[in-house]
Amino acid sequence: MENVFAKIAENTVKFNLGDEEEWRILFEPFYEEPSKDVGVIRDERYGPAERNRLDVFFPLSKEAERPVLLFVHGGGFFSGDKGWSEKCWANIGNFFARHGIVTVVANHQLVPHVRYPGGADDIQLAREWIFNNIASEKYGRGSVDKVVLFGHSSGGAHIAANLYAAGDPKRVPKQAIFPPVAGVMFFSTPFWFDRTRPIRQRTLRQYYGSDAEEVWGPLSPLKLFEGLPDDSPLLDSGKIPVYIGTVKWEVNEAVDAQIAFFNAYRTRSKPPGALPFFNVLDKHNHLSNILSIGTEDDSQSKLILDFISACVAKVGSGGEPSPGKV
Protein backbone atom coordinates (compact mmCIF):
# COMPACT_ATOMS: atom_id res chain seq x y z
CA MET A 1 0.00 0.00 0.00
CA GLU A 2 3.02 2.28 -0.16
CA ASN A 3 1.70 3.93 -3.33
CA VAL A 4 -1.47 4.87 -1.44
CA PHE A 5 0.48 6.39 1.43
CA ALA A 6 2.67 8.28 -1.04
CA LYS A 7 -0.45 9.72 -2.66
CA ILE A 8 -1.80 10.79 0.73
CA ALA A 9 1.49 12.48 1.63
CA GLU A 10 1.55 14.22 -1.75
CA ASN A 11 -1.93 15.68 -1.22
CA THR A 12 -1.36 16.51 2.49
CA VAL A 13 -4.49 18.27 3.84
CA LYS A 14 -6.10 18.93 0.45
CA PHE A 15 -9.59 17.49 0.43
CA ASN A 16 -12.05 18.97 -2.05
CA LEU A 17 -15.52 17.99 -3.11
CA GLY A 18 -15.22 14.89 -5.29
CA ASP A 19 -11.85 13.77 -3.90
CA GLU A 20 -13.61 11.10 -1.85
CA GLU A 21 -14.20 9.02 -4.99
CA GLU A 22 -10.49 9.03 -5.81
CA TRP A 23 -9.64 7.72 -2.35
CA ARG A 24 -12.34 5.05 -2.43
CA ILE A 25 -11.08 3.75 -5.77
CA LEU A 26 -7.53 3.60 -4.42
CA PHE A 27 -8.51 1.56 -1.36
CA GLU A 28 -11.10 -0.85 -2.75
CA PRO A 29 -8.62 -3.32 -4.32
CA PHE A 30 -7.14 -3.94 -0.87
CA TYR A 31 -10.34 -5.10 0.85
CA GLU A 32 -10.67 -8.66 2.03
CA GLU A 33 -13.35 -10.82 0.48
CA PRO A 34 -16.53 -11.11 2.59
CA SER A 35 -16.15 -13.89 5.12
CA LYS A 36 -18.37 -16.99 4.97
CA ASP A 37 -18.56 -16.68 8.76
CA VAL A 38 -20.34 -13.31 8.59
CA GLY A 39 -24.05 -12.88 7.94
CA VAL A 40 -25.52 -9.70 6.45
CA ILE A 41 -29.05 -8.30 6.55
CA ARG A 42 -29.53 -5.16 4.50
CA ASP A 43 -31.95 -2.26 4.33
CA GLU A 44 -33.73 -2.76 7.63
CA ARG A 45 -35.98 0.22 8.26
CA TYR A 46 -35.44 1.99 11.59
CA GLY A 47 -37.67 5.06 11.12
CA PRO A 48 -40.24 6.69 8.83
CA ALA A 49 -37.92 8.57 6.45
CA GLU A 50 -36.77 6.94 3.22
CA ARG A 51 -33.13 7.07 4.35
CA ASN A 52 -33.90 5.56 7.76
CA ARG A 53 -32.32 2.26 6.77
CA LEU A 54 -29.44 0.22 8.12
CA ASP A 55 -27.41 -2.90 7.39
CA VAL A 56 -26.40 -5.45 10.03
CA PHE A 57 -23.22 -7.55 9.80
CA PHE A 58 -22.90 -10.29 12.40
CA PRO A 59 -20.82 -13.38 13.23
CA LEU A 60 -22.62 -16.61 12.38
CA SER A 61 -21.42 -18.47 15.47
CA LYS A 62 -23.88 -18.98 18.32
CA GLU A 63 -22.21 -16.82 20.97
CA ALA A 64 -24.57 -14.37 22.70
CA GLU A 65 -24.18 -10.96 24.38
CA ARG A 66 -21.81 -9.75 21.69
CA PRO A 67 -20.49 -6.19 21.51
CA VAL A 68 -22.35 -3.96 19.05
CA LEU A 69 -20.90 -1.19 16.90
CA LEU A 70 -23.06 1.47 15.23
CA PHE A 71 -21.19 3.17 12.38
CA VAL A 72 -22.56 6.41 10.92
CA HIS A 73 -20.96 7.68 7.70
CA GLY A 74 -19.87 11.22 6.94
CA GLY A 75 -20.52 13.34 3.89
CA GLY A 76 -20.72 16.99 4.92
CA PHE A 77 -24.42 16.73 5.90
CA PHE A 78 -25.38 16.49 2.20
CA SER A 79 -23.88 13.24 0.87
CA GLY A 80 -22.82 9.72 1.79
CA ASP A 81 -24.48 6.33 2.01
CA LYS A 82 -24.10 3.09 3.93
CA GLY A 83 -23.79 1.45 0.51
CA TRP A 84 -21.38 3.95 -0.99
CA SER A 85 -20.30 1.10 -3.25
CA GLU A 86 -20.49 -2.67 -3.10
CA LYS A 87 -17.39 -2.66 -0.87
CA CYS A 88 -17.76 0.64 1.03
CA TRP A 89 -18.91 0.76 3.82
CA ALA A 90 -19.27 -3.03 3.91
CA ASN A 91 -15.54 -3.06 4.68
CA ILE A 92 -16.38 -1.84 8.18
CA GLY A 93 -19.24 -4.28 8.71
CA ASN A 94 -17.28 -7.27 7.47
CA PHE A 95 -14.12 -6.44 9.41
CA PHE A 96 -15.67 -5.95 12.82
CA ALA A 97 -18.12 -8.84 12.44
CA ARG A 98 -15.13 -11.10 11.73
CA HIS A 99 -13.79 -9.96 15.08
CA GLY A 100 -16.94 -10.95 16.96
CA ILE A 101 -18.75 -7.59 16.91
CA VAL A 102 -22.28 -7.15 15.61
CA THR A 103 -21.92 -4.13 13.34
CA VAL A 104 -24.72 -1.83 12.24
CA VAL A 105 -24.03 0.54 9.34
CA ALA A 106 -26.73 3.19 9.15
CA ASN A 107 -27.89 5.87 6.77
CA HIS A 108 -29.28 9.20 7.94
CA GLN A 109 -31.21 11.97 6.25
CA LEU A 110 -29.31 14.55 4.19
CA VAL A 111 -29.81 18.25 3.52
CA PRO A 112 -31.76 19.84 1.94
CA HIS A 113 -34.33 17.23 3.03
CA VAL A 114 -33.71 17.49 6.76
CA ARG A 115 -33.38 20.31 9.30
CA TYR A 116 -31.89 20.39 12.79
CA PRO A 117 -32.32 18.27 14.87
CA GLY A 118 -33.32 15.73 12.23
CA GLY A 119 -29.88 14.11 11.94
CA ALA A 120 -29.67 13.67 15.71
CA ASP A 121 -33.21 12.27 15.76
CA ASP A 122 -32.17 9.71 13.13
CA ILE A 123 -29.36 8.56 15.42
CA GLN A 124 -31.83 8.19 18.27
CA LEU A 125 -34.15 6.08 16.11
CA ALA A 126 -31.24 3.88 15.01
CA ARG A 127 -30.16 3.39 18.62
CA GLU A 128 -33.71 2.48 19.61
CA TRP A 129 -33.91 0.00 16.74
CA ILE A 130 -30.72 -1.62 18.04
CA PHE A 131 -32.14 -1.71 21.57
CA ASN A 132 -35.33 -3.43 20.40
CA ASN A 133 -33.83 -5.86 17.88
CA ILE A 134 -30.12 -6.56 18.15
CA ALA A 135 -30.34 -9.26 20.85
CA SER A 136 -32.34 -11.57 18.57
CA GLU A 137 -30.76 -14.55 16.83
CA LYS A 138 -31.67 -12.99 13.48
CA TYR A 139 -29.27 -10.09 14.07
CA GLY A 140 -26.42 -11.92 15.79
CA ARG A 141 -27.36 -11.86 19.50
CA GLY A 142 -25.79 -8.52 20.32
CA SER A 143 -25.91 -7.04 23.81
CA VAL A 144 -27.92 -3.84 24.24
CA ASP A 145 -25.55 -2.88 27.07
CA LYS A 146 -22.42 -3.15 24.91
CA VAL A 147 -23.24 -0.67 22.16
CA VAL A 148 -20.40 1.58 20.99
CA LEU A 149 -21.19 4.50 18.69
CA PHE A 150 -18.77 5.34 15.85
CA GLY A 151 -19.25 8.47 13.76
CA HIS A 152 -17.03 9.77 10.98
CA SER A 153 -17.04 13.48 10.10
CA SER A 154 -20.65 14.73 9.87
CA GLY A 155 -21.81 11.33 11.10
CA GLY A 156 -19.93 12.07 14.31
CA ALA A 157 -21.60 15.49 14.49
CA HIS A 158 -25.03 13.84 14.35
CA ILE A 159 -24.05 11.35 17.07
CA ALA A 160 -22.80 14.20 19.26
CA ALA A 161 -25.97 16.24 18.70
CA ASN A 162 -27.98 13.18 19.71
CA LEU A 163 -25.99 12.30 22.83
CA TYR A 164 -25.68 15.91 23.98
CA ALA A 165 -29.30 16.88 23.29
CA ALA A 166 -29.73 18.14 26.84
CA GLY A 167 -27.51 21.08 25.92
CA ASP A 168 -30.47 22.42 23.92
CA PRO A 169 -33.26 23.55 26.29
CA LYS A 170 -35.82 22.55 23.66
CA ARG A 171 -34.51 18.98 23.41
CA VAL A 172 -33.91 17.80 26.99
CA PRO A 173 -34.56 14.03 26.94
CA LYS A 174 -36.56 12.22 29.63
CA GLN A 175 -33.52 10.10 30.42
CA ALA A 176 -29.93 11.34 30.21
CA ILE A 177 -28.84 8.27 28.24
CA PHE A 178 -31.28 5.90 26.59
CA PRO A 179 -30.74 3.43 25.06
CA PRO A 180 -27.51 2.46 26.85
CA VAL A 181 -24.14 3.48 25.38
CA ALA A 182 -20.89 1.74 26.32
CA GLY A 183 -18.63 4.24 24.53
CA VAL A 184 -18.44 6.68 21.65
CA MET A 185 -15.88 7.36 18.92
CA PHE A 186 -15.72 10.70 17.11
CA PHE A 187 -13.46 10.56 14.05
CA SER A 188 -12.64 13.79 12.16
CA THR A 189 -15.80 15.31 13.59
CA PRO A 190 -16.74 18.98 13.05
CA PHE A 191 -18.00 19.86 16.53
CA TRP A 192 -17.82 23.48 15.35
CA PHE A 193 -18.03 24.85 11.81
CA ASP A 194 -15.91 27.05 9.59
CA ARG A 195 -18.52 29.33 8.08
CA THR A 196 -15.94 31.06 5.86
CA ARG A 197 -16.16 28.06 3.51
CA PRO A 198 -18.92 28.55 0.90
CA ILE A 199 -19.93 24.90 0.99
CA ARG A 200 -20.29 25.06 4.77
CA GLN A 201 -22.35 28.25 4.54
CA ARG A 202 -24.76 26.41 2.29
CA THR A 203 -25.13 23.39 4.58
CA LEU A 204 -25.52 25.61 7.65
CA ARG A 205 -28.37 27.46 5.97
CA GLN A 206 -30.00 24.22 4.90
CA TYR A 207 -29.62 22.40 8.23
CA TYR A 208 -29.85 25.16 10.83
CA GLY A 209 -31.86 27.69 8.81
CA SER A 210 -29.07 30.29 8.79
CA ASP A 211 -25.31 30.56 8.47
CA ALA A 212 -25.27 33.23 11.19
CA GLU A 213 -23.23 32.00 14.14
CA GLU A 214 -25.74 33.30 16.65
CA VAL A 215 -28.27 30.87 15.12
CA TRP A 216 -26.27 27.68 14.59
CA GLY A 217 -23.58 28.22 17.23
CA PRO A 218 -25.68 27.31 20.30
CA LEU A 219 -26.92 24.21 18.47
CA SER A 220 -23.51 23.00 17.32
CA PRO A 221 -22.18 19.77 18.85
CA LEU A 222 -19.55 21.72 20.79
CA LYS A 223 -22.02 24.09 22.43
CA LEU A 224 -24.51 21.30 23.11
CA PHE A 225 -21.78 19.49 25.04
CA GLU A 226 -20.84 22.66 26.92
CA GLY A 227 -24.52 23.12 27.81
CA LEU A 228 -24.97 19.71 29.44
CA PRO A 229 -26.15 19.82 33.05
CA ASP A 230 -23.41 19.30 35.62
CA ASP A 231 -24.88 15.98 36.74
CA SER A 232 -24.99 14.48 33.24
CA PRO A 233 -23.49 10.96 33.12
CA LEU A 234 -22.11 11.91 29.70
CA LEU A 235 -19.46 13.93 31.55
CA ASP A 236 -18.30 10.84 33.46
CA SER A 237 -15.31 9.36 31.63
CA GLY A 238 -15.77 6.09 33.50
CA LYS A 239 -19.36 5.63 32.39
CA ILE A 240 -19.13 6.79 28.77
CA PRO A 241 -15.56 6.63 27.43
CA VAL A 242 -14.89 9.01 24.53
CA TYR A 243 -12.39 8.45 21.73
CA ILE A 244 -11.42 11.43 19.56
CA GLY A 245 -9.68 10.24 16.41
CA THR A 246 -7.84 12.46 13.95
CA VAL A 247 -5.08 12.00 11.38
CA LYS A 248 -1.75 13.47 10.32
CA TRP A 249 -3.27 15.19 7.27
CA GLU A 250 -6.56 16.46 8.71
CA VAL A 251 -8.67 19.23 7.17
CA ASN A 252 -8.49 22.45 9.18
CA GLU A 253 -12.15 22.66 10.18
CA ALA A 254 -12.16 19.17 11.67
CA VAL A 255 -8.88 19.40 13.57
CA ASP A 256 -9.70 22.85 15.00
CA ALA A 257 -13.09 21.58 16.12
CA GLN A 258 -11.69 18.41 17.65
CA ILE A 259 -9.13 20.35 19.66
CA ALA A 260 -11.90 22.66 20.86
CA PHE A 261 -13.97 19.65 21.91
CA PHE A 262 -10.97 18.05 23.62
CA ASN A 263 -10.49 21.18 25.72
CA ALA A 264 -14.21 21.47 26.45
CA TYR A 265 -14.27 17.83 27.55
CA ARG A 266 -11.35 18.12 29.96
CA THR A 267 -12.89 21.28 31.42
CA ARG A 268 -16.14 19.51 32.30
CA SER A 269 -15.16 15.86 32.68
CA LYS A 270 -15.50 13.76 35.79
CA PRO A 271 -13.37 12.89 37.62
CA PRO A 272 -12.13 16.48 37.19
CA GLY A 273 -9.58 16.80 34.41
CA ALA A 274 -10.13 13.31 32.99
CA LEU A 275 -9.13 13.28 29.34
CA PRO A 276 -10.78 11.48 26.46
CA PHE A 277 -8.85 8.96 24.44
CA PHE A 278 -7.10 10.99 21.72
CA ASN A 279 -5.14 9.67 18.76
CA VAL A 280 -3.47 11.21 15.72
CA LEU A 281 -3.01 8.46 13.15
CA ASP A 282 0.12 8.73 11.04
CA LYS A 283 0.12 8.53 7.22
CA HIS A 284 -3.62 9.20 6.79
CA ASN A 285 -6.01 11.95 5.72
CA HIS A 286 -9.59 12.94 6.56
CA LEU A 287 -11.06 9.84 4.92
CA SER A 288 -8.29 7.32 4.34
CA ASN A 289 -8.13 6.00 7.91
CA ILE A 290 -11.76 4.90 7.69
CA LEU A 291 -11.25 3.47 4.22
CA SER A 292 -8.26 1.50 5.54
CA ILE A 293 -10.44 -0.67 7.79
CA GLY A 294 -10.45 -4.18 6.37
CA THR A 295 -7.18 -3.80 4.46
CA GLU A 296 -3.66 -4.96 5.32
CA ASP A 297 -3.14 -1.59 7.00
CA ASP A 298 -4.53 -2.33 10.46
CA SER A 299 -3.12 0.76 12.19
CA GLN A 300 -6.61 2.25 12.64
CA SER A 301 -8.68 -0.89 13.05
CA LYS A 302 -6.48 -2.25 15.87
CA LEU A 303 -6.97 0.95 17.88
CA ILE A 304 -10.73 0.74 17.39
CA LEU A 305 -10.81 -2.91 18.46
CA ASP A 306 -8.85 -2.06 21.61
CA PHE A 307 -11.21 0.80 22.45
CA ILE A 308 -14.31 -1.35 21.94
CA SER A 309 -12.76 -4.04 24.11
CA ALA A 310 -12.06 -1.51 26.87
CA CYS A 311 -15.62 -0.19 26.73
CA VAL A 312 -17.14 -3.65 26.83
CA ALA A 313 -14.88 -4.76 29.70
CA LYS A 314 -16.21 -2.05 32.01
CA VAL A 315 -19.91 -2.78 31.32
CA GLY A 316 -21.40 -3.93 34.58
CA SER A 317 -18.11 -3.57 36.42
CA GLY A 318 -18.58 0.05 37.48
CA GLY A 319 -14.91 0.66 36.80
CA GLU A 320 -12.76 2.60 34.39
CA PRO A 321 -12.17 1.00 30.98
CA SER A 322 -8.93 -0.89 30.65
CA PRO A 323 -7.12 -2.29 27.61
CA GLY A 324 -8.05 -5.77 26.45
CA LYS A 325 -9.20 -7.88 23.56
CA VAL A 326 -12.71 -8.49 22.27
Side-chain angles (χ1 to χ4, degrees), residues 73-153:
H73 66 78
F77 289 80
F78 62 88
S79 67
D81 196 276
K82 63 182 178 61
W84 184 5
S85 72
E86 183 180 349
K87 295 183 177 181
C88 290
W89 294 111
N91 62 304
I92 290 176
N94 284 315
F95 176 83
F96 289 108
R98 283 199 305 102
H99 285 81
I101 300 166
V102 178
T103 305
V104 177
V105 182
N107 273 349
H108 54 80
Q109 296 178 84
L110 305 174
V111 298
H113 307 294
V114 65
R115 292 282 294 270
Y116 172 89
D121 292 344
D122 284 350
I123 303 303
Q124 183 65 27
L125 290 171
R127 290 172 56 208
E128 290 174 3
W129 185 95
I130 291 170
F131 183 79
N132 292 323
N133 294 279
I134 211 68
S136 72
E137 181 177 0
K138 177 180 179 180
Y139 299 113
R141 299 184 178 89
S143 169
V144 299
D145 294 313
K146 298 176 181 178
V147 178
V148 176
L149 310 181
F150 176 18
H152 174 244
S153 195

Side-chain angles (χ1 to χ4, degrees), residues 254-267:
V255 71
D256 290 344
Q258 289 182 290
I259 291 171
F261 179 73
F262 178 92
N263 286 324
Y265 187 91
R266 70 173 181 169
T267 298

Side-chain angles (χ1 to χ4, degrees), residues 46-48 52 54 70 72 106-108 117-132 149 155 158-166 171 173-181 234:
Y46 69 82
N52 288 160
L54 53 79
L70 170 60
V72 183
N107 273 349
H108 54 80
D121 292 344
D122 284 350
I123 303 303
Q124 183 65 27
L125 290 171
R127 290 172 56 208
E128 290 174 3
W129 185 95
I130 291 170
F131 183 79
N132 292 323
L149 310 181
H158 287 315
I159 288 176
N162 169 243
L163 285 181
Y164 307 143
R171 295 177 55 225
K174 294 180 180 178
Q175 295 176 259
I177 306 174
F178 182 82
V181 174
L234 290 158

Side-chain angles (χ1 to χ4, degrees), residues 235-238 262 265-276 320:
L235 301 175
D236 190 327
S237 64
F262 178 92
Y265 187 91
R266 70 173 181 169
T267 298
R268 301 210 61 204
S269 61
K270 296 177 182 179
L275 300 180
E320 294 286 340

Side-chain angles (χ1 to χ4, degrees), residues 8 11 14 16 37 56 67 101 124 126 148 187 238 241 304 325:
I8 294 170
N11 281 265
K14 183 184 80 69
N16 296 320
D37 298 319
V56 185
I101 300 166
Q124 183 65 27
V148 176
F187 277 43
I304 295 173
K325 298 296 180 185

Side-chain angles (χ1 to χ4, degrees), residues 188-235:
S188 301
T189 295
F191 295 94
W192 187 257
F193 306 109
D194 178 6
R195 67 166 305 279
T196 65
R197 300 167 61 217
I199 192 169
R200 183 59 79 202
Q201 292 174 16
R202 185 188 71 184
T203 56
L204 289 170
R205 290 193 296 268
Q206 291 173 327
Y207 192 61
Y208 292 102
S210 172
D211 64 359
E213 186 175 318
E214 59 267 26
V215 175
W216 61 261
L219 307 177
S220 68
L222 177 63
K223 293 302 179 182
L224 291 176
F225 175 82
E226 292 179 345
L228 289 174
D230 290 338
D231 61 353
S232 172
L234 290 158
L235 301 175

